[in-house]
Amino acid sequence: MACGFRRAIACQLSRVLNLPPENLITSISAVPVSQKEEVADFQLSVDSLLEEDNDHSRPDIQVQAKRLAEKLRCDTVVSEISTGQRTVNFKINRELLTKTVLLQVIEDGSKYGLKSELFSGLPRKKIVVEFSSPNVAKKFHVGHLRSTIIGNFIANLKEALGHQVIRINYLGDWGMQFGLLGTGFQLFGYEEKLQSNPLQHLFEVYVQVNKEAADDKSVAKSAREFFQRLELGDVQALSLWQKFRDLSIEEYVRVYKRLGVYFDEYSGESFYREKSQEVLKLLESKGLLLKTIKGTAVVDLSGNGDPSSICTVMRSDGTSLYATRDLAAAIDRMDKYNFDTMIYVTDKGQKKHFQQVFQMLKIMGYDWAERCQHVPFGVVQGMKTRRGDVTFLEDVLNEIQLRMLQNMASIKTTKELKNPQETAERVGLAALIIQDFKGLLLSDYKFSWDRVFQSRGDTGVFLQYTHARLHSLEETFGCGYLNDFNTACLQEPQSVSILQHLLRFDEVLYKSSQDLQPRHIVSYLLTLSHLAAVAHKTLQIKDSPPEVAGARLHLFKAVRSVLGNGMKLLGITPVCRM
């Protein structure tokens, strides 16, 4: 994690430039392996040191870079100083680089990269992350799967950085669909089916009642009346609704466990049916609530009647809407948690909804609305199981496990495993998560089972395979060698490339912490795995002198440790055999 090298360079620069080292830290970056020229380890961006309002042409910056390089001296840390395109480059003493990086990886363990000076001085915050949020009785579509894995990654990363994170699953457990569901269950429901497979049975009832309501107005009327009874607190209607909700959550918890995801709170729109009435009263008292001819209540966020800025907050029958309940939930969470940041992870189709919710909070007088953030993501197309469209998350997990088991059975190098189903699921989930996290979260992408499960190339299967292979090396050779190591035995280009790449881990974590994009970490881990694959072929342990074998084993152990740390942040459980 740059292991103090960045600070050592910053200290020397600060004496020449007469600037505090802290101001220089973020201008010094580890050079990516793929872009290395003259094997420099760090570079200082001269642009970032210059005043932004001055128009510096390229030659001027180049001249300044040369002048600066001439004033700097090599020392026990820096063995070579040169200039690049608008940069000053630093090469670290090779033996010091090797010893420091490997010791730091071993010493810091799961905290490697997180103790970096890049994160020093960052205040520890209380962060609420709302993610997953499926609708009870409706399809758990792929958007909910994306929300689940993205939200889990954001929560993991924030937690790793020392923040207090509250993970909330805000279920779609209220609204007109429960009017339909309550009526539908009375018409087509079976208690024993509800108990044995609640999500499946409620979904079947929901589909059937929707068809009936489209053809029969009396069914649609009954549904509206049932929801009104719910809103008014009718005991019988609430009892049936509570049963649907409890059984659904039980099922969700079981499925989330398979995903390696947990929540601190299962909340839902239902929690805010009364509080949303308070929100309406508050909007009215501030003169923000407008009644329409149809009898609905709206808020005009433009102040001039612009139709695109009108947000409906109440139906004509007085019942609440999604936006009203979101306002009530945000206010309640602030009262309950006094958060510094609240992050909502949903698809980009809800972008306008959240803009309006945050804007309404602001005009209601809640300045903390600025602490609320929407992390939107794109649409996945083409995710189907062999039986057709994805209906439930469990369908996806079962499909992953089945396909991965078949893949593993067809590969000759597959080890005999104690629990092949569990391994298949973990490898399959890694494949799914890496495919999802490789690009910008906002981008749509076409899903392909074949591409997901490729064992070569930039896939989750390749990451898991690399981790398992490195673990196998330690099992085979580890005990006798992992005591001490000689840094002089790790000066081959393959070793140096790995060490240089390990240097960059803190910068990659920092980048992801700034924009909440997992792709930086994914790209880093894939490169690390490719470097490890090359080194594994060329840096033999078997039949090498003990000193050489021990040093190489230390290097591979460091790679496995950082690879495992990165995978866990992404929500992947590394496997040790496959």
Side-chain angles (χ1 to χ4, degrees), residues 41-295:
D41 302 306
F42 287 94
Q43 60 184 24
L44 168 77
S45 163
V46 178
D47 290 271
S48 63
L49 293 179
L50 302 169
E51 299 288 327
E52 281 182 21
D53 54 349
N54 287 352
D55 181 22
H56 290 276
S57 63
R58 184 175 286 269
D60 288 342
I61 291 179
Q62 220 42 45
V63 167
Q64 297 209 35
K66 282 205 166 76
R67 278 188 197 143
L68 179 56
E70 283 160 10
K71 291 178 188 172
L72 299 167
R73 296 282 168 266
C74 294
D75 53 22
T76 53
V77 176
V78 177
S79 64
E80 205 176 289
I81 298 168
S82 60
T83 56
Q85 287 288 344
R86 306 164 88 88
T87 61
V88 178
N89 300 333
F90 303 87
K91 184 176 173 181
I92 303 297
N93 172 314
R94 282 289 166 259
E95 288 206 19
L96 184 66
L97 173 81
T98 309
K99 193 168 186 114
T100 314
V101 171
L102 293 186
L103 286 177
Q104 192 100 47
V105 173
I106 291 159
E107 199 179 295
D108 288 353
S110 64
K111 293 284 177 199
Y112 178 73
L114 296 161
K115 292 182 171 183
S116 163
E117 60 270 15
L118 294 176
F119 298 112
S120 64
L122 281 183
R124 298 290 171 255
K125 292 181 175 180
K126 191 181 276 191
I127 298 169
V128 171
V129 186
E130 183 202 290
F131 63 105
S132 194
S133 309
N135 294 305
V136 174
K138 285 189 180 179
K139 277 190 178 189
F140 189 112
H141 59 73
V142 186
H144 293 125
L145 174 59
R146 282 207 91 183
S147 173
T148 307
I149 59 177
I150 293 165
N152 188 47
F153 158 71
I154 291 170
N156 288 346
L157 182 62
K158 294 290 186 187
E159 225 159 49
L161 290 168
H163 302 297
Q164 185 188 342
V165 177
I166 298 112
R167 300 160 184 252
I168 295 181
N169 196 344
Y170 183 67
L171 299 172
D173 64 354
W174 202 250
M176 260 314 290
Q177 82 253 34
F178 281 93
L180 282 161
L181 199 58
T183 300
F185 193 75
Q186 287 164 348
L187 293 170
F188 319 113
Y190 293 95
E191 187 61 35
E192 58 275 19
K193 282 188 180 179
L194 180 67
Q195 295 295 334
S196 64
N197 195 342
L199 294 179
Q200 181 67 41
H201 186 52
L202 288 175
F203 177 64
E204 286 164 358
V205 167
Y206 187 67
V207 169
Q208 201 171 347
V209 76
N210 262 300
K211 277 182 193 164
E212 294 289 327
D215 300 331
D216 186 342
K217 285 184 179 171
S218 67
V219 173
K221 185 170 177 276
S222 296
R224 283 195 297 276
E225 285 167 358
F226 190 94
F227 182 53
Q228 236 168 340
R229 279 165 59 204
L230 275 177
E231 287 256 299
L232 294 167
D234 177 85
V235 177
Q236 210 178 350
L238 278 173
S239 161
L240 188 59
W241 165 84
Q242 189 71 50
K243 188 194 287 184
F244 295 162
R245 189 181 191 277
D246 292 347
L247 287 168
S248 296
I249 288 178
E250 228 172 87
E251 195 78 350
Y252 283 135
V253 169
R254 189 179 61 75
V255 178
Y256 286 130
K257 197 175 177 185
R258 285 179 69 180
L259 261 180
V261 172
Y262 72 92
F263 294 92
D264 299 299
E265 182 184 301
Y266 278 87
S267 172
E269 294 179 61
S270 60
F271 284 48
Y272 302 105
R273 59 184 190 271
E274 285 164 23
K275 287 185 174 166
S276 60
Q277 296 303 317
E278 291 167 27
V279 166
L280 293 170
K281 281 177 194 163
L282 185 58
L283 285 165
E284 195 165 21
S285 70
K286 290 184 176 284
L288 298 166
L289 206 61
L290 306 169
K291 284 280 174 72
T292 66
I293 304 163
K294 291 177 183 174

Side-chain angles (χ1 to χ4, degrees), residues 412-513:
K412 288 173 187 169
T413 54
T414 299
K415 304 262 194 308
E416 200 164 308
L417 303 165
K418 278 182 189 168
N419 190 338
Q421 282 83 7
E422 186 182 83
T423 301
E425 187 151 293
R426 285 178 177 175
V427 176
L429 274 173
L432 188 77
I433 288 168
I434 295 300
Q435 156 115 337
D436 199 283
F437 285 179
K438 273 201 305 199
L440 271 169
L441 294 181
L442 205 51
S443 303
D444 300 340
Y445 74 89
K446 203 160 179 53
F447 184 84
S448 155
W449 286 109
D450 293 337
R451 195 167 61 242
V452 162
F453 288 126
Q454 283 171 357
S455 55
R456 295 180 188 280
D458 292 345
T459 65
V461 179
F462 176 55
L463 289 189
Q464 287 285 31
Y465 175 69
T466 305
H467 187 274
R469 188 156 71 160
L470 294 174
H471 187 268
S472 171
L473 273 183
E474 286 170 48
E475 275 189 329
T476 309
F477 301 106
C479 303
Y481 289 131
L482 282 173
N483 298 323
D484 197 15
F485 63 95
N486 182 350
T487 53
C489 298
L490 289 175
Q491 299 309 313
E492 308 88 346
Q494 297 88 343
S495 303
V496 173
S497 287
I498 286 174
L499 292 162
Q500 288 172 322
H501 195 59
L502 291 174
L503 267 184
R504 287 189 61 237
F505 192 49
D506 63 342
E507 288 179 17
V508 171
L509 295 178
Y510 183 74
K511 225 175 185 175
S512 280
S513 75

Side-chain angles (χ1 to χ4, degrees), residues 1 19 190 252 258 289 314 348 353 366 371 377 455 472 507:
M1 53 158 233
L19 288 167
Y190 293 95
Y252 283 135
R258 285 179 69 180
L289 206 61
M314 188 184 79
K348 61 185 178 185
H353 165 77
Y366 297 112
R371 301 185 215 167
F377 54 81
S455 55
S472 171
E507 288 179 17

Side-chain angles (χ1 to χ4, degrees), residues 312-460:
T312 307
V313 289
M314 188 184 79
R315 286 192 184 88
S316 55
D317 61 5
T319 55
S320 62
L321 281 145
Y322 182 50
T324 335
R325 297 191 285 272
D326 259 353
L327 290 168
I331 295 161
D332 180 59
R333 286 172 195 170
M334 191 56 181
D335 290 343
K336 191 174 176 182
Y337 297 116
N338 191 23
F339 56 77
D340 297 294
T341 308
M342 179 155 62
I343 298 166
Y344 297 85
V345 184
T346 73
D347 66 78
K348 61 185 178 185
Q350 294 196 46
K351 190 178 174 186
K352 186 180 176 183
H353 165 77
F354 283 107
Q355 282 173 343
Q356 290 189 332
V357 167
F358 301 159
Q359 213 177 327
M360 274 192 280
L361 286 168
K362 216 168 177 182
I363 60 174
M364 286 166 80
Y366 297 112
D367 294 340
W368 50 260
E370 289 174 358
R371 301 185 215 167
C372 298
Q373 180 184 357
H374 178 219
V375 175
F377 54 81
V379 177
V380 184
Q381 292 142 344
M383 186 187 272
K384 292 177 188 250
T385 63
R386 282 165 194 179
R387 292 185 307 164
D389 284 336
V390 171
T391 307
F392 303 112
L393 174 58
E394 194 153 29
D395 295 337
V396 182
L397 298 182
N398 293 340
E399 187 84 6
I400 282 170
Q401 192 185 74
L402 182 70
R403 287 184 187 245
M404 202 60 228
L405 276 170
Q406 288 170 344
N407 278 23
M408 283 159 58
S410 68
I411 298 167
K412 288 173 187 169
T413 54
T414 299
K415 304 262 194 308
E416 200 164 308
L417 303 165
K418 278 182 189 168
N419 190 338
Q421 282 83 7
E422 186 182 83
T423 301
E425 187 151 293
R426 285 178 177 175
V427 176
L429 274 173
L432 188 77
I433 288 168
I434 295 300
Q435 156 115 337
D436 199 283
F437 285 179
K438 273 201 305 199
L440 271 169
L441 294 181
L442 205 51
S443 303
D444 300 340
Y445 74 89
K446 203 160 179 53
F447 184 84
S448 155
W449 286 109
D450 293 337
R451 195 167 61 242
V452 162
F453 288 126
Q454 283 171 357
S455 55
R456 295 180 188 280
D458 292 345
T459 65

